């Protein structure tokens, strides 16, 4: 990036490029996100047009290079049968591979300078550029955009977005994938507190899921904790305008962490950690990542880069592209309906996951809390897959319940567990055999018109998602449920396995899916009973997919049996 762009100065080429900007309003323009849904999410309301002089932060996703090579490298470093297995790329290696062409960098920089963009910041990989412009400048730059102020969500979050599509000069068609900060709204939590199940008697029963219940079910002993002698670390990311409190974490560990070594504070917070009331989901993520992955250094990405015109999830991706040393395991409880996002955005985010996989990072995403989902297309019901859960480059975690809700028993499907088949991504080769076996053997398949049989199928694994205890704002809260709970639990267990690998001088697990599917469920408890929710119509009557032996699109390969999983994953 040029020095003058970093400083936001204008160059002598302004007049020439001002003419180019005029093409935006004419026939020589294009919309990079024609399929981006722009309907207002439930619970959000418009406060009217934004002030023309209000400052906006917009992120420009620059076209990358060598994506076919990147894909092949990810496959090589993630496949145990490859001689390159575990030989991960550095951030600098990735940058060298995907960095936009000099022509792309030059063209986009000159265009932004001409528009008056200032304080532009790039990332190490040079494929994102975040700049500040006034609303007036942004609306001139992005023809058709019209910025409004909105408020919504449980936290009364404020956002500045455009309800209308934007256009870019056709001269940029091969240089810009999309512009972030126009359409996508901050996510809202699907976490829920269920009513307490009623059963007679209490002898030998537990009263909800706690770290001791997790450790008993998944066969973790008091010795199964981090050693404190490695550079092992783990992270969770939060985008809900929610925050955790160190005092809640300390209280949680005081109540529930007495029988295993643990840390009582987060090692590093990236982003804003405001005061005020803690959020249940933020508290849950931190407390269960740090109790499953006990005594391991933990980072929290807390609404990174939050500004009313920014997309928190996109800002997190930028951070991954700008930090050389990152935690090995990242757990994220974020998702959107695939159909609500533009193809350009989804494909580019998927590439960001490829970059992470090439570097040996394990990304775990919650599968969602809507079962198979449901929506109507041309008057016909279909299941509704979720993204990033449907990305082929992340490990997606579904949810289970105890067969007896008050005993540490076998697990069954939690009916909310998200799962299904992508309508965007084709089925990756690593899962073709497992999916074909399920489709040919399941006695309870929904009608084929409801799902894309050839799409990426998810989840990959699962863990308990029902009936957790959480401490938030100094209050112990029972019966909290959602795949936002199962995801940090599985992530913490993978961090413990990384600990053993690092002590043996092995690399971290990295992108797990190719190895996971090769092992055909070894080291996991198979979940074979139950179905998840879907469309409430006469044809499927609220039932989506059902679990069965082996992999299924409700609980994946199953839930972790720590000693068995450690045994097969500890060595290359």
């Amino acid at each position: 990036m040029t020095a003058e762009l970093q400083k936001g100065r204008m160059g002598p080429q302004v007049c020439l490029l001002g003419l180019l900007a005029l093409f935006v309003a004419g026939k020589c323009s294009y919309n990079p996100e024609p399929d981006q849904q722009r309907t207002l999410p439930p619970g959000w309301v418009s406060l009217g047009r934004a002030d023309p002089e209000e400052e906006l932060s917009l992120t420009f996703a620059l076209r990358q290079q060598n994506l076919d090579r990147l894909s092949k490298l990810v496959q090589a470093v993630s496949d145990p049968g490859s001689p390159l297995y575990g030989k991960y790329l550095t951030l600098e290696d990735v940058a060298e591979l995907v960095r936009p062409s000099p022509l792309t960098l030059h063209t986009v920089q000159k265009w932004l300078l001409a528009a008056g963009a200032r304080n532009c910041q790039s990332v190490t990989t040079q494929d994102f550029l975040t700049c500040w412009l006034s609303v007036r400048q942004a609306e001139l730059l992005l023809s058709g955009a019209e910025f409004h102020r909105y408020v919504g969500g449980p936290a009364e979050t404020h956002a500045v977005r455009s309800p209308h599509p934007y256009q870019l000069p056709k001269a940029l068609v091969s240089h810009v994938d999309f512009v972030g900060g126009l359409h996508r709204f901050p996510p809202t939590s699907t976490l829920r507190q269920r009513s307490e199940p009623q059963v007679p008697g209490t002898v030998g029963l537990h009263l909800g899921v706690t770290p001791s219940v997790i450790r008993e079910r998944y066969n973790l002993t008091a010795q199964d904790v981090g050693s404190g002698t490695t550079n092992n670390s783990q992270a969770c990311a939060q985008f809900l305008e929610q925050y955790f409190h160190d005092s809640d974490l300390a209280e949680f560990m005081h109540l529930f962490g007495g029988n295993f070594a643990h840390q009582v504070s987060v090692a590093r917070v990236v982003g804003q950690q405001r005061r005020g009331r803690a959020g249940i989901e933020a508290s849950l993520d931190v407390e269960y990542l740090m109790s499953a992955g006990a005594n391991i250094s933990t980072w929290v990405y807390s609404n990174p880069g939050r500004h009313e015109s920014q997309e928190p999830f996109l800002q997190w991706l930028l951070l991954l592209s700008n930090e050389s040393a990152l935690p090995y395991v990242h757990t994220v409880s974020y998702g959107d309906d695939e159909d609500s996002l533009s193809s350009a955005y989804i494909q580019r985010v998927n590439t960001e996951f490829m970059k992470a996989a090439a570097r040996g990072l394990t990304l775990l995403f919650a599968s969602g809390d809507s079962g198979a989902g449901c929506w109507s297309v041309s008057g016909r019901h279909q299941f509704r897959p979720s993204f990033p859960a449907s990305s082929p480059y992340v490990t997606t975690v579904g949810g289970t319940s105890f067969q007896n809700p008050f005993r540490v028993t076998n697990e069954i499907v939690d009916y909310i567990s998200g799962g299904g088949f992508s309508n965007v991504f084709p089925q990756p080769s690593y899962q073709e055999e497992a999916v074909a076996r399920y489709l040919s053997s399941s006695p309870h398949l929904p009608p084929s018109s409801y799902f894309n049989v050839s799409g990426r199928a998810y989840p990959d694994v699962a863990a308990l998602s029902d009936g957790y205890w959480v401490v938030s704002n100094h209050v112990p809260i029972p019966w909290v449920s959602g795949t936002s709970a199962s995801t940090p639990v599985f992530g913490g267990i993978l961090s413990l396995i990384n600990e053993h690998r690092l002590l043996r001088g092995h690399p971290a697990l990295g992108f797990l899916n190719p190895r996971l599917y090769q092992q055909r469920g070894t080291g996991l408890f198979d979940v074979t009973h139950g179905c998840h929710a879907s469309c409430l119509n006469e044809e499927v009557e609220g039932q989506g997919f059902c679990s069965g032996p082996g992999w299924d699109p409700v609980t994946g390969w199953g839930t972790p049996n720590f000693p068995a999983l450690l045994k097969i994953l500890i060595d290359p």
Side-chain angles (χ1 to χ4, degrees):
M1 184 166 52
T2 62
E4 66 176 5
L5 182 64
Q6 287 178 312
K7 296 174 183 176
R9 294 176 183 167
M10 302 290 286
Q13 67 275 31
V14 170
C15 294
L16 176 63
L17 286 159
L19 294 174
L20 177 61
L22 293 176
F23 292 169
V24 178
K27 296 179 180 179
C28 298
S29 61
Y30 78 106
N31 178 3
E33 300 185 81
D35 49 347
Q36 173 66 48
Q37 188 181 96
R38 286 178 293 276
T39 54
L40 200 60
W44 286 82
V45 295
S46 173
L47 302 178
R49 290 287 297 268
D51 184 331
E53 302 311 316
E54 182 170 352
E55 292 289 295
L56 299 177
S57 173
L58 298 179
T59 297
F60 301 84
L62 277 59
R63 187 68 48 84
Q64 299 150 315
Q65 299 190 99
N66 303 314
L67 298 187
D68 285 343
R69 284 178 57 194
L70 178 64
S71 175
K72 290 174 182 175
L73 277 168
V74 169
Q75 187 174 352
V77 300
S78 307
D79 181 356
S82 165
L84 292 178
Y85 178 66
K87 299 184 186 305
Y88 303 126
L89 278 63
T90 65
L91 177 59
E92 290 68 28
D93 293 333
V94 172
E96 190 67 28
L97 190 64
V98 305
R99 181 181 293 117
S101 70
L103 178 61
T104 291
L105 293 171
H106 181 70
T107 302
V108 174
Q109 289 168 10
K110 288 179 70 176
W111 173 62
L112 290 172
L113 276 170
R118 56 201 166 276
N119 299 325
C120 290
Q121 299 294 323
S122 188
V123 293
T124 301
T125 47
Q126 293 185 262
D127 46 7
F128 285 109
L129 200 56
T130 299
C131 297
W132 290 86
L133 303 96
S134 69
V135 166
R136 188 194 312 277
Q137 289 170 326
E139 290 179 351
L140 287 171
L141 181 75
L142 307 169
S143 177
E146 184 181 281
F147 289 92
H148 290 238
R149 295 193 64 82
Y150 296 91
V151 64
E156 293 291 296
T157 301
H158 287 259
V160 178
R161 296 290 187 271
S162 170
H164 305 298
Y166 65 96
Q167 302 279 324
L168 296 180
K170 212 157 192 176
L172 293 170
V173 67
S174 60
H175 302 301
V176 176
D177 288 333
F178 69 88
V179 182
L182 280 92
H183 300 316
R184 288 164 288 275
F185 282 78
T188 55
S189 176
T190 58
L191 203 64
R192 64 198 74 185
Q193 189 175 7
R194 295 180 183 170
S195 57
E196 180 178 343
Q198 300 299 312
V199 296
T202 58
V203 178
L205 304 180
H206 68 80
L207 298 176
V209 175
T210 64
S212 63
V213 170
I214 292 287
R215 297 180 81 83
E216 180 181 350
R217 170 56 187 158
Y218 298 142
N219 293 320
L220 291 157
T221 69
Q223 286 70 48
D224 292 321
V225 297
S227 65
T229 62
T230 69
N231 65 344
N232 193 14
S233 57
Q234 57 190 359
C236 58
Q238 302 164 353
F239 314 111
L240 295 170
E241 201 71 20
Q242 286 193 7
Y243 306 93
F244 75 96
H245 288 170
D246 279 325
S247 57
D248 286 337
L249 176 61
E251 177 69 12
F252 177 85
M253 290 301 186
H254 174 73
L255 290 173
F256 303 121
N259 60 352
F260 57 91
H262 57 264
Q263 298 185 7
V264 293
S265 62
V266 167
R268 181 177 172 187
V269 176
V270 182
Q272 301 178 15
Q273 177 62 12
R274 294 176 184 165
R275 302 192 177 189
R277 291 182 60 80
I280 294 179
E281 182 145 351
S283 304
L284 172 76
D285 286 346
V286 174
E287 289 165 7
Y288 281 91
L289 180 61
M290 293 185 68
S291 54
N295 211 38
I296 291 174
S297 177
T298 302
W299 296 19
V300 174
Y301 289 87
S302 181
N303 298 288
R306 179 77 179 107
H307 179 270
E308 290 178 355
S309 62
Q310 290 179 334
E311 301 173 29
F313 179 67
L314 188 57
Q315 297 307 306
W316 174 69
L317 291 176
L318 267 65
L319 289 171
L320 295 189
S321 283
N322 212 30
E323 288 267 356
S324 294
L326 289 169
Y328 295 115
V329 172
H330 296 253
T331 74
V332 187
S333 302
Y334 158 82
D336 272 312
D337 297 323
E338 261 190 357
D339 58 89
S340 73
L341 302 168
S342 73
S343 175
Y345 176 84
I346 283 185
Q347 295 294 347
R348 176 55 186 267
V349 171
N350 193 56
T351 298
E352 298 309 303
F353 297 151
M354 286 172 56
K355 287 161 58 178
R359 297 172 62 191
L361 304 183
T362 303
L363 303 184
L364 294 107
F365 276 83
S367 69
D369 298 338
S370 301
C374 186
W375 68 317
S376 180
V377 182
S378 302
R380 284 196 56 83
H381 286 100
Q382 291 182 4
F383 295 157
R384 195 172 200 181
S386 176
F387 179 80
S390 64
S391 167
Y393 292 102
V394 305
T395 299
T396 305
V397 186
T400 62
S401 303
F402 281 125
Q403 195 162 7
N404 180 328
F406 286 94
R407 294 187 185 275
V408 182
T409 58
N410 291 336
E411 293 162 75
I412 60 174
V413 169
D414 186 347
Y415 71 94
I416 57 96
S417 179
F421 294 76
S422 173
N423 290 322
V424 175
F425 300 107
Q427 207 163 95
S429 59
Y430 62 71
Q431 68 170 184
E432 286 175 347
E433 181 184 336
V435 175
R437 189 182 299 114
Y438 173 80
L439 293 174
S440 64
S441 63
S442 175
H444 304 292
L445 278 182
S448 59
S449 61
Y450 277 72
F451 63 101
N452 174 23
V453 68
S454 62
R456 150 58 161 153
Y458 69 96
D460 305 298
V461 293
L464 285 163
S465 57
D466 184 22
Y468 279 68
W469 280 90
V470 179
V471 174
S472 189
N473 299 299
H474 307 287
V475 178
I477 301 170
W479 304 110
V480 176
S481 302
T483 52
S484 296
S486 57
T487 306
V489 165
F490 206 101
I493 287 173
L494 291 182
S495 290
L496 292 179
I497 294 173
N498 271 340
E499 183 81 6
H500 286 270
R501 289 179 60 86
L502 295 170
L503 287 170
R504 290 192 176 203
H506 301 325
L509 286 166
F511 175 46
L512 189 61
N513 290 10
R515 185 166 185 171
L516 187 68
Y517 282 81
Q518 285 181 27
Q519 291 166 181
R520 296 181 173 85
T522 306
L524 298 162
F525 293 117
D526 198 3
V527 180
T528 59
H529 296 288
C531 309
H532 64 181
S534 75
C535 302
L536 292 170
N537 61 2
E538 292 183 2
E539 195 168 19
V540 296
E541 298 180 332
Q543 180 175 294
F545 297 100
C546 297
S547 63
W551 179 90
D552 57 69
V554 192
T555 61
W557 287 107
T559 62
N561 178 4
F562 179 72
L565 194 59
L566 175 64
K567 184 178 180 180
I568 60 164
L569 291 179
I570 193 170
D571 289 316

